[in-house]
Amino acid sequence: MNQVVKAAAGRTMDNVFAAAHGRLPGSGPVAHIRARAFEAYKRAGLPHRRIEAWKYTDLRALIGEVQPLAPQPNAAALVHARTSVKRAAVEQAVKLVLVDGIFAPELSDVGRLENGVDVRSLREVLENSADSAMAGLILSTTTDAMISLNAAMATDGLVITIAEGKAVKRPIQIVHVATGSWASNFTRSYLHLGRGAEAVVLESFVSNEGASGYQTNDATIALISEEARFSYIRLAADAADAVNISSGIIAVGARARLDLFGMICGGSVSRYQGFITLAGEGSKLSANGVNLIRHKQHVDTTIVVEHAVAHCASREKFRAVIDDCGHSVFQGRIVVRPAAQKTDATLTMRALLLSDEAGADNKPELEILADEVTCGHGSTSGALDDTFVSYLRARGLSEKEAQALLIRAFLGEAIEEIGTEDLRDFVTAQAEHWLQAR
Protein backbone atom coordinates (compact mmCIF):
# COMPACT_ATOMS: atom_id res chain seq x y z
CA MET A 1 0.00 0.00 0.00
CA ASN A 2 1.38 3.44 -0.95
CA GLN A 3 2.36 5.84 1.77
CA VAL A 4 0.23 9.01 1.83
CA VAL A 5 2.46 11.85 2.98
CA LYS A 6 0.82 14.86 4.57
CA ALA A 7 1.75 18.35 3.45
CA ALA A 8 1.04 21.84 4.73
CA ALA A 9 -2.46 22.79 5.87
CA GLY A 10 -3.74 19.21 5.61
CA ARG A 11 -2.94 18.83 1.92
CA THR A 12 -1.57 15.53 0.65
CA MET A 13 1.50 15.52 -1.57
CA ASP A 14 -0.81 14.60 -4.45
CA ASN A 15 -2.50 17.97 -4.01
CA VAL A 16 0.84 19.80 -3.80
CA PHE A 17 2.07 18.11 -6.98
CA ALA A 18 -1.21 18.76 -8.80
CA ALA A 19 -1.24 22.41 -7.72
CA ALA A 20 2.31 22.87 -9.02
CA HIS A 21 1.64 21.13 -12.34
CA GLY A 22 1.02 24.31 -14.35
CA ARG A 23 4.33 25.82 -13.16
CA LEU A 24 6.56 22.86 -13.88
CA PRO A 25 8.42 23.25 -17.19
CA GLY A 26 8.33 20.48 -19.78
CA SER A 27 5.63 18.37 -21.37
CA GLY A 28 5.42 15.01 -23.12
CA PRO A 29 8.44 12.84 -22.12
CA VAL A 30 9.46 15.34 -19.44
CA ALA A 31 6.03 15.20 -17.82
CA HIS A 32 6.21 11.39 -17.81
CA ILE A 33 9.63 11.51 -16.14
CA ARG A 34 8.25 13.82 -13.47
CA ALA A 35 5.23 11.58 -12.89
CA ARG A 36 7.44 8.50 -12.43
CA ALA A 37 9.69 10.41 -10.05
CA PHE A 38 6.72 11.55 -8.00
CA GLU A 39 5.35 8.01 -7.79
CA ALA A 40 8.78 6.85 -6.55
CA TYR A 41 8.64 9.52 -3.86
CA LYS A 42 5.09 8.58 -2.85
CA ARG A 43 6.07 4.94 -2.40
CA ALA A 44 8.85 5.91 -0.02
CA GLY A 45 7.52 9.06 1.62
CA LEU A 46 9.65 11.36 3.73
CA PRO A 47 12.86 9.59 4.85
CA HIS A 48 12.78 8.29 8.41
CA ARG A 49 15.07 6.62 10.93
CA ARG A 50 14.29 3.09 9.74
CA ILE A 51 16.10 3.90 6.48
CA GLU A 52 19.77 3.33 7.29
CA ALA A 53 21.08 6.32 5.27
CA TRP A 54 18.63 8.59 7.12
CA LYS A 55 18.97 6.95 10.53
CA TYR A 56 20.14 10.14 12.25
CA THR A 57 18.04 12.58 10.20
CA ASP A 58 14.42 11.51 10.47
CA LEU A 59 12.57 14.04 8.32
CA ARG A 60 9.18 12.76 9.43
CA ALA A 61 10.09 13.78 12.96
CA LEU A 62 12.17 16.86 12.13
CA ILE A 63 9.97 18.61 9.55
CA GLY A 64 6.82 16.50 9.37
CA GLU A 65 5.55 17.81 6.04
CA VAL A 66 6.57 19.27 2.70
CA GLN A 67 5.47 22.87 2.16
CA PRO A 68 3.62 23.84 -1.06
CA LEU A 69 5.58 25.30 -3.96
CA ALA A 70 6.75 28.89 -3.52
CA PRO A 71 4.96 31.41 -5.78
CA GLN A 72 6.66 32.94 -8.80
CA PRO A 73 8.82 35.85 -7.54
CA ASN A 74 7.24 39.23 -8.32
CA ALA A 75 8.96 42.56 -8.89
CA ALA A 76 9.08 43.36 -5.17
CA ALA A 77 10.69 40.00 -4.37
CA LEU A 78 13.37 40.62 -7.01
CA VAL A 79 14.12 44.06 -5.58
CA HIS A 80 14.58 42.63 -2.09
CA ALA A 81 16.59 39.70 -3.44
CA ARG A 82 19.10 42.10 -4.98
CA THR A 83 20.16 43.16 -1.47
CA SER A 84 20.64 39.54 -0.38
CA VAL A 85 22.68 38.78 -3.50
CA LYS A 86 24.94 41.74 -2.84
CA ARG A 87 25.52 40.54 0.71
CA ALA A 88 26.44 37.02 -0.45
CA ALA A 89 28.43 37.95 -3.55
CA VAL A 90 32.08 37.00 -3.92
CA GLU A 91 34.21 39.73 -5.49
CA GLN A 92 35.16 39.00 -9.12
CA ALA A 93 32.78 36.04 -9.33
CA VAL A 94 30.24 35.76 -12.15
CA LYS A 95 26.85 35.57 -10.40
CA LEU A 96 23.94 33.40 -11.54
CA VAL A 97 20.91 34.00 -9.33
CA LEU A 98 17.89 31.84 -8.53
CA VAL A 99 15.08 33.55 -6.59
CA ASP A 100 12.49 31.29 -4.96
CA GLY A 101 13.54 28.51 -7.32
CA ILE A 102 13.40 30.61 -10.53
CA PHE A 103 16.38 31.84 -12.58
CA ALA A 104 16.61 35.66 -12.44
CA PRO A 105 18.70 36.89 -15.41
CA GLU A 106 18.14 40.52 -14.37
CA LEU A 107 20.10 39.85 -11.16
CA SER A 108 22.75 37.69 -12.88
CA ASP A 109 26.02 38.49 -14.66
CA VAL A 110 25.08 36.72 -17.87
CA GLY A 111 26.95 39.33 -19.91
CA ARG A 112 30.20 38.59 -18.06
CA LEU A 113 30.34 34.92 -19.01
CA GLU A 114 33.58 33.95 -20.74
CA ASN A 115 33.79 32.41 -24.18
CA GLY A 116 33.53 28.65 -23.86
CA VAL A 117 31.06 28.87 -20.98
CA ASP A 118 27.46 28.19 -21.95
CA VAL A 119 24.65 28.80 -19.45
CA ARG A 120 20.97 28.04 -19.97
CA SER A 121 18.12 27.86 -17.50
CA LEU A 122 16.73 24.44 -16.71
CA ARG A 123 13.31 25.71 -17.78
CA GLU A 124 14.67 26.53 -21.24
CA VAL A 125 16.13 23.05 -21.65
CA LEU A 126 13.06 21.20 -20.38
CA GLU A 127 10.72 23.18 -22.63
CA ASN A 128 12.81 22.53 -25.75
CA SER A 129 11.60 19.29 -27.33
CA ALA A 130 14.96 18.91 -29.11
CA ASP A 131 16.63 18.52 -25.69
CA SER A 132 14.56 15.52 -24.53
CA ALA A 133 17.64 13.32 -24.10
CA MET A 134 19.33 16.01 -22.04
CA ALA A 135 16.16 16.43 -19.98
CA GLY A 136 16.15 12.73 -19.17
CA LEU A 137 19.76 12.93 -18.00
CA ILE A 138 19.18 16.02 -15.88
CA LEU A 139 16.04 14.65 -14.22
CA SER A 140 17.62 11.28 -13.45
CA THR A 141 16.73 9.83 -10.07
CA THR A 142 18.17 7.39 -7.55
CA THR A 143 16.60 5.29 -4.83
CA ASP A 144 16.71 8.36 -2.57
CA ALA A 145 13.21 9.77 -2.00
CA MET A 146 14.29 13.42 -1.76
CA ILE A 147 16.12 13.24 -5.09
CA SER A 148 12.99 11.73 -6.66
CA LEU A 149 10.86 14.51 -5.17
CA ASN A 150 13.31 17.06 -6.56
CA ALA A 151 13.05 15.56 -10.06
CA ALA A 152 9.26 15.73 -9.86
CA MET A 153 9.02 19.30 -8.56
CA ALA A 154 12.04 21.23 -9.91
CA THR A 155 10.84 24.57 -11.26
CA ASP A 156 14.18 25.80 -12.59
CA GLY A 157 17.94 25.64 -12.26
CA LEU A 158 21.01 26.06 -14.41
CA VAL A 159 22.59 24.00 -17.18
CA ILE A 160 26.26 24.97 -17.39
CA THR A 161 28.66 23.59 -19.99
CA ILE A 162 32.41 24.32 -20.02
CA ALA A 163 34.04 23.69 -23.39
CA GLU A 164 36.89 21.24 -23.86
CA GLY A 165 40.22 22.71 -22.78
CA LYS A 166 38.63 25.89 -21.38
CA ALA A 167 40.19 27.23 -18.18
CA VAL A 168 37.58 29.55 -16.68
CA LYS A 169 39.36 32.53 -15.13
CA ARG A 170 36.66 33.84 -12.78
CA PRO A 171 34.67 31.76 -10.30
CA ILE A 172 31.03 31.13 -11.16
CA GLN A 173 28.77 31.79 -8.18
CA ILE A 174 25.26 30.32 -8.09
CA VAL A 175 23.22 32.26 -5.53
CA HIS A 176 19.94 30.80 -4.22
CA VAL A 177 17.75 33.44 -2.55
CA ALA A 178 14.59 32.58 -0.59
CA THR A 179 12.26 35.56 -0.20
CA GLY A 180 9.03 33.96 1.07
CA SER A 181 7.88 32.02 4.09
CA TRP A 182 6.36 28.57 4.62
CA ALA A 183 6.87 27.45 1.04
CA SER A 184 9.21 25.10 -0.84
CA ASN A 185 11.85 25.86 -3.48
CA PHE A 186 12.88 23.03 -5.82
CA THR A 187 15.92 23.60 -8.04
CA ARG A 188 18.09 21.28 -10.11
CA SER A 189 21.28 22.11 -12.02
CA TYR A 190 23.55 20.26 -14.42
CA LEU A 191 27.26 20.98 -14.92
CA HIS A 192 29.46 19.46 -17.61
CA LEU A 193 33.19 20.12 -17.83
CA GLY A 194 34.68 19.09 -21.14
CA ARG A 195 37.98 17.25 -21.46
CA GLY A 196 40.82 19.23 -19.88
CA ALA A 197 38.54 22.07 -18.72
CA GLU A 198 39.01 23.89 -15.42
CA ALA A 199 36.40 25.75 -13.39
CA VAL A 200 35.54 26.93 -9.90
CA VAL A 201 31.86 27.00 -8.92
CA LEU A 202 30.63 28.45 -5.63
CA GLU A 203 27.03 27.78 -4.60
CA SER A 204 25.48 29.98 -1.90
CA PHE A 205 22.13 29.66 -0.10
CA VAL A 206 20.80 32.83 1.56
CA SER A 207 17.46 34.46 2.39
CA ASN A 208 15.87 37.86 2.53
CA GLU A 209 15.31 39.47 5.89
CA GLY A 210 11.94 38.28 7.13
CA ALA A 211 11.88 35.03 5.13
CA SER A 212 11.13 32.14 7.47
CA GLY A 213 9.98 28.55 7.60
CA TYR A 214 10.84 27.87 3.98
CA GLN A 215 12.15 24.57 2.63
CA THR A 216 14.81 24.17 -0.05
CA ASN A 217 15.33 20.98 -2.04
CA ASP A 218 18.25 21.34 -4.46
CA ALA A 219 20.10 18.83 -6.62
CA THR A 220 23.22 19.16 -8.74
CA ILE A 221 24.28 16.67 -11.40
CA ALA A 222 27.91 17.08 -12.51
CA LEU A 223 29.97 15.29 -15.15
CA ILE A 224 33.71 15.95 -15.05
CA SER A 225 35.35 14.71 -18.23
CA GLU A 226 38.86 13.30 -18.65
CA GLU A 227 41.73 15.47 -17.37
CA ALA A 228 39.36 18.22 -16.20
CA ARG A 229 39.65 19.96 -12.85
CA PHE A 230 36.58 21.10 -10.95
CA SER A 231 36.51 22.98 -7.65
CA TYR A 232 33.04 23.06 -6.09
CA ILE A 233 32.38 25.09 -2.93
CA ARG A 234 29.01 25.10 -1.21
CA LEU A 235 27.97 27.57 1.52
CA ALA A 236 24.56 27.30 3.22
CA ALA A 237 23.53 30.24 5.40
CA ASP A 238 19.76 29.84 5.42
CA ALA A 239 17.28 31.51 7.75
CA ALA A 240 17.35 30.18 11.29
CA ASP A 241 14.12 28.16 10.94
CA ALA A 242 14.58 27.02 7.32
CA VAL A 243 15.07 23.50 5.96
CA ASN A 244 17.68 22.73 3.30
CA ILE A 245 18.00 19.27 1.76
CA SER A 246 20.56 19.28 -1.07
CA SER A 247 22.03 16.47 -3.14
CA GLY A 248 25.00 16.15 -5.46
CA ILE A 249 25.52 13.37 -8.00
CA ILE A 250 29.00 13.68 -9.49
CA ALA A 251 31.00 11.47 -11.88
CA VAL A 252 34.75 12.05 -12.27
CA GLY A 253 36.51 10.94 -15.46
CA ALA A 254 40.01 9.56 -16.03
CA ARG A 255 42.88 11.66 -14.67
CA ALA A 256 40.39 14.34 -13.61
CA ARG A 257 40.27 16.01 -10.20
CA LEU A 258 37.38 17.12 -8.00
CA ASP A 259 37.95 19.46 -5.05
CA LEU A 260 34.81 19.64 -2.92
CA PHE A 261 34.24 21.90 0.09
CA GLY A 262 31.04 22.56 2.01
CA MET A 263 30.11 24.73 4.97
CA ILE A 264 26.72 24.86 6.68
CA CYS A 265 26.17 27.65 9.21
CA GLY A 266 22.42 28.33 9.02
CA GLY A 267 19.01 26.72 8.91
CA SER A 268 17.11 24.63 11.40
CA VAL A 269 17.46 21.32 9.55
CA SER A 270 20.11 20.86 6.86
CA ARG A 271 21.46 17.88 4.97
CA TYR A 272 23.92 17.74 2.13
CA GLN A 273 24.28 14.32 0.55
CA GLY A 274 26.93 13.73 -2.08
CA PHE A 275 27.17 10.66 -4.30
CA ILE A 276 30.56 10.73 -6.02
CA THR A 277 31.84 8.14 -8.47
CA LEU A 278 35.51 8.01 -9.44
CA ALA A 279 34.72 6.52 -12.84
CA GLY A 280 37.99 6.92 -14.75
CA GLU A 281 41.46 5.59 -13.90
CA GLY A 282 43.75 8.08 -12.20
CA SER A 283 40.93 10.33 -10.97
CA LYS A 284 41.32 12.13 -7.65
CA LEU A 285 38.95 13.52 -5.03
CA SER A 286 39.58 15.96 -2.20
CA ALA A 287 36.41 16.42 -0.11
CA ASN A 288 36.37 18.68 2.93
CA GLY A 289 33.64 20.21 5.04
CA VAL A 290 32.84 22.36 8.05
CA ASN A 291 29.57 22.50 9.98
CA LEU A 292 29.00 25.34 12.44
CA ILE A 293 26.04 24.49 14.65
CA ARG A 294 24.28 26.18 17.56
CA HIS A 295 20.89 26.53 19.26
CA LYS A 296 18.81 23.49 18.22
CA GLN A 297 20.15 23.14 14.69
CA HIS A 298 20.38 19.70 13.10
CA VAL A 299 23.05 19.48 10.39
CA ASP A 300 23.85 16.33 8.38
CA THR A 301 26.64 15.79 5.86
CA THR A 302 26.50 12.41 4.12
CA ILE A 303 29.09 11.54 1.46
CA VAL A 304 29.24 8.26 -0.49
CA VAL A 305 32.39 7.83 -2.60
CA GLU A 306 32.51 4.95 -5.06
CA HIS A 307 35.87 3.85 -6.42
CA ALA A 308 34.73 2.13 -9.61
CA VAL A 309 38.06 1.65 -11.38
CA ALA A 310 41.73 1.20 -10.56
CA HIS A 311 44.39 3.73 -9.54
CA CYS A 312 42.11 6.37 -8.00
CA ALA A 313 42.63 8.35 -4.79
CA SER A 314 40.28 10.12 -2.39
CA ARG A 315 40.92 12.24 0.68
CA GLU A 316 38.05 13.31 2.94
CA LYS A 317 38.31 15.60 5.95
CA PHE A 318 35.29 16.93 7.85
CA ARG A 319 34.99 19.11 10.94
CA ALA A 320 32.00 20.16 13.06
CA VAL A 321 31.72 22.70 15.89
CA ILE A 322 28.54 22.22 17.94
CA ASP A 323 27.29 24.64 20.59
CA ASP A 324 24.14 24.82 22.74
CA CYS A 325 21.75 21.92 21.89
CA GLY A 326 22.92 21.50 18.30
CA HIS A 327 23.24 18.11 16.64
CA SER A 328 25.82 17.19 14.00
CA VAL A 329 25.75 14.16 11.72
CA PHE A 330 28.61 13.06 9.48
CA GLN A 331 28.20 9.90 7.46
CA GLY A 332 31.01 8.89 5.14
CA ARG A 333 31.01 5.73 3.10
CA ILE A 334 33.80 4.56 0.80
CA VAL A 335 32.95 1.75 -1.61
CA VAL A 336 35.80 0.03 -3.47
CA ARG A 337 34.54 -2.08 -6.38
CA PRO A 338 36.29 -5.33 -7.44
CA ALA A 339 37.89 -3.59 -10.44
CA ALA A 340 39.25 -0.76 -8.31
CA GLN A 341 42.67 -2.19 -7.50
CA LYS A 342 45.36 0.17 -6.20
CA THR A 343 42.75 2.40 -4.56
CA ASP A 344 44.10 4.90 -2.04
CA ALA A 345 41.37 6.36 0.20
CA THR A 346 41.19 8.00 3.64
CA LEU A 347 38.37 9.57 5.64
CA THR A 348 38.55 11.52 8.90
CA MET A 349 35.72 13.09 10.90
CA ARG A 350 36.15 15.25 14.00
CA ALA A 351 33.48 16.95 16.09
CA LEU A 352 34.12 19.66 18.70
CA LEU A 353 31.43 19.86 21.41
CA LEU A 354 31.17 23.25 23.13
CA SER A 355 28.38 22.41 25.57
CA ASP A 356 27.12 19.45 27.55
CA GLU A 357 23.89 19.39 25.51
CA ALA A 358 25.63 19.30 22.10
CA GLY A 359 25.55 16.02 20.21
CA ALA A 360 27.41 14.40 17.32
CA ASP A 361 26.91 11.19 15.39
CA ASN A 362 29.85 10.23 13.18
CA LYS A 363 29.55 7.14 11.02
CA PRO A 364 32.52 6.26 8.79
CA GLU A 365 32.21 3.10 6.66
CA LEU A 366 34.43 1.11 4.32
CA GLU A 367 33.12 -1.45 1.84
CA ILE A 368 36.17 -3.00 0.18
CA LEU A 369 35.68 -5.54 -2.59
CA ALA A 370 39.21 -5.39 -4.02
CA ASP A 371 42.49 -6.85 -2.75
CA GLU A 372 45.25 -4.32 -3.41
CA VAL A 373 44.04 -1.18 -1.66
CA THR A 374 45.13 1.31 0.96
CA CYS A 375 42.09 2.53 2.89
CA GLY A 376 41.54 4.01 6.32
CA HIS A 377 39.10 6.03 8.38
CA GLY A 378 38.93 7.74 11.74
CA SER A 379 36.36 9.55 13.86
CA THR A 380 36.60 11.53 17.11
CA SER A 381 34.30 13.70 19.21
CA GLY A 382 35.29 15.75 22.23
CA ALA A 383 35.42 19.09 24.01
CA LEU A 384 38.05 21.81 23.95
CA ASP A 385 41.13 20.91 25.95
CA ASP A 386 40.91 22.83 29.25
CA THR A 387 44.71 22.84 29.48
CA PHE A 388 45.03 24.81 26.25
CA VAL A 389 42.24 27.20 27.29
CA SER A 390 43.94 27.83 30.65
CA TYR A 391 47.30 28.35 28.92
CA LEU A 392 45.84 31.05 26.67
CA ARG A 393 43.93 32.72 29.49
CA ALA A 394 47.13 32.91 31.51
CA ARG A 395 48.53 35.00 28.65
CA GLY A 396 45.79 37.60 28.81
CA LEU A 397 43.02 36.22 26.61
CA SER A 398 39.46 36.02 27.84
CA GLU A 399 37.80 32.60 27.92
CA LYS A 400 35.79 33.42 24.79
CA GLU A 401 38.91 34.67 22.96
CA ALA A 402 40.85 31.56 23.97
CA GLN A 403 38.06 29.30 22.76
CA ALA A 404 37.78 31.21 19.47
CA LEU A 405 41.51 30.85 18.82
CA LEU A 406 41.38 27.09 19.35
CA ILE A 407 38.23 26.76 17.21
CA ARG A 408 39.90 28.67 14.37
CA ALA A 409 42.82 26.25 14.43
CA PHE A 410 40.41 23.29 14.46
CA LEU A 411 38.47 24.59 11.45
CA GLY A 412 41.58 25.67 9.60
CA GLU A 413 42.56 22.07 8.95
CA ALA A 414 39.61 21.77 6.54
CA ILE A 415 39.31 25.35 5.25
CA GLU A 416 42.99 25.44 4.23
CA GLU A 417 42.22 22.76 1.64
CA ILE A 418 40.39 25.37 -0.50
CA GLY A 419 42.83 25.99 -3.33
CA THR A 420 41.85 29.58 -4.26
CA GLU A 421 43.11 32.19 -1.81
CA ASP A 422 40.26 34.68 -2.33
CA LEU A 423 37.63 32.00 -1.77
CA ARG A 424 39.52 30.63 1.20
CA ASP A 425 39.49 34.12 2.75
CA PHE A 426 35.78 34.49 1.97
CA VAL A 427 34.93 31.20 3.70
CA THR A 428 37.15 32.10 6.65
CA ALA A 429 35.28 35.40 7.03
CA GLN A 430 31.95 33.54 7.12
CA ALA A 431 33.29 31.24 9.84
CA GLU A 432 34.63 34.25 11.73
CA HIS A 433 31.18 35.86 11.64
CA TRP A 434 29.71 32.73 13.24
CA LEU A 435 32.37 32.78 15.95
CA GLN A 436 31.75 36.43 16.77
CA ALA A 437 28.03 35.78 17.11
CA ARG A 438 28.52 33.11 19.81
Side-chain angles (χ1 to χ4, degrees), residues 71-379:
Q72 184 94 8
N74 56 25
L78 293 174
V79 169
H80 292 305
R82 190 180 296 276
T83 301
S84 299
V85 171
K86 185 176 181 180
R87 187 177 66 247
V90 173
E91 189 175 357
Q92 302 301 321
V94 177
K95 299 185 297 299
L96 301 171
V97 181
L98 294 156
V99 179
D100 295 333
I102 303 297
F103 179 51
E106 59 269 61
L107 302 183
S108 302
D109 299 327
V110 178
R112 294 178 60 208
L113 291 169
E114 301 173 31
N115 292 333
V117 180
D118 179 71
V119 174
R120 291 185 290 168
S121 71
L122 177 66
R123 175 172 293 272
E124 177 186 351
V125 172
L126 296 184
E127 291 182 342
N128 186 345
S129 59
D131 287 330
S132 58
M134 174 67 78
L137 174 63
I138 295 172
L139 293 180
S140 60
T141 62
T142 68
T143 57
D144 184 86
M146 299 308 286
I147 294 177
S148 294
L149 181 61
N150 179 277
M153 297 284 290
T155 52
D156 212 345
L158 297 164
V159 178
I160 303 174
T161 304
I162 312 295
E164 180 176 333
K166 172 65 179 179
V168 183
K169 296 178 182 178
R170 292 188 294 272
I172 297 171
Q173 184 179 16
I174 302 171
V175 185
H176 299 257
V177 184
T179 71
S181 298
W182 307 107
S184 291
N185 306 313
F186 293 89
T187 49
R188 180 171 285 227
S189 295
Y190 175 78
L191 291 85
H192 180 204
L193 273 69
R195 184 187 183 100
E198 297 182 17
V200 176
V201 172
L202 170 69
E203 192 164 19
S204 302
F205 294 83
V206 295
S207 66
N208 281 359
E209 185 176 351
S212 64
Y214 62 86
Q215 297 177 358
T216 292
N217 184 325
D218 177 67
T220 299
I221 317 295
L223 176 60
I224 306 169
S225 299
E226 296 86 347
E227 300 175 358
R229 178 157 186 169
F230 181 40
S231 179
Y232 177 42
I233 300 169
R234 183 181 177 279
L235 304 177
D238 289 287
D241 59 352
V243 174
N244 188 318
I245 308 297
S246 295
S247 308
I249 303 173
I250 307 174
V252 186
R255 300 174 302 284
R257 180 181 177 95
L258 169 63
D259 295 315
L260 176 68
F261 179 86
M263 183 167 77
I264 300 174
C265 57
S268 173
V269 176
S270 297
R271 172 171 165 124
Y272 176 76
Q273 49 182 7
F275 303 94
I276 303 166
T277 302
L278 301 181
E281 288 199 15
S283 57
K284 294 182 179 180
L285 165 69
S286 174
N288 303 277
V290 167
N291 289 342
L292 303 174
I293 307 167
R294 59 186 174 187
H295 306 315
K296 295 183 179 180
Q297 287 177 287
H298 179 101
V299 177
D300 180 341
T301 297
T302 295
I303 305 290
V304 179
V305 177
E306 180 179 355
H307 288 256
V309 296
H311 301 285
C312 296
S314 62
R315 296 287 182 271
E316 300 177 71
K317 186 185 301 180
F318 296 99
R319 301 289 183 265
V321 179
I322 311 108
D323 205 352
D324 305 319
C325 299
H327 184 206
S328 169
V329 176
F330 274 124
Q331 297 183 108
R333 187 179 179 207
I334 298 173
V335 181
V336 182
R337 296 300 179 193
Q341 303 294 342
K342 304 295 184 181
T343 286
D344 184 1
T346 61
L347 165 65
T348 60
M349 304 173 174
R350 295 179 62 193
L352 185 59
L353 308 176
L354 301 182
S355 79
D356 292 338
E357 292 77 28
D361 287 299
N362 295 337
K363 184 185 177 187
E365 294 181 275
L366 296 176
E367 182 180 341
I368 301 174
L369 305 174
D371 299 323
E372 299 181 61
V373 302
T374 302
C375 294
H377 64 69
S379 171

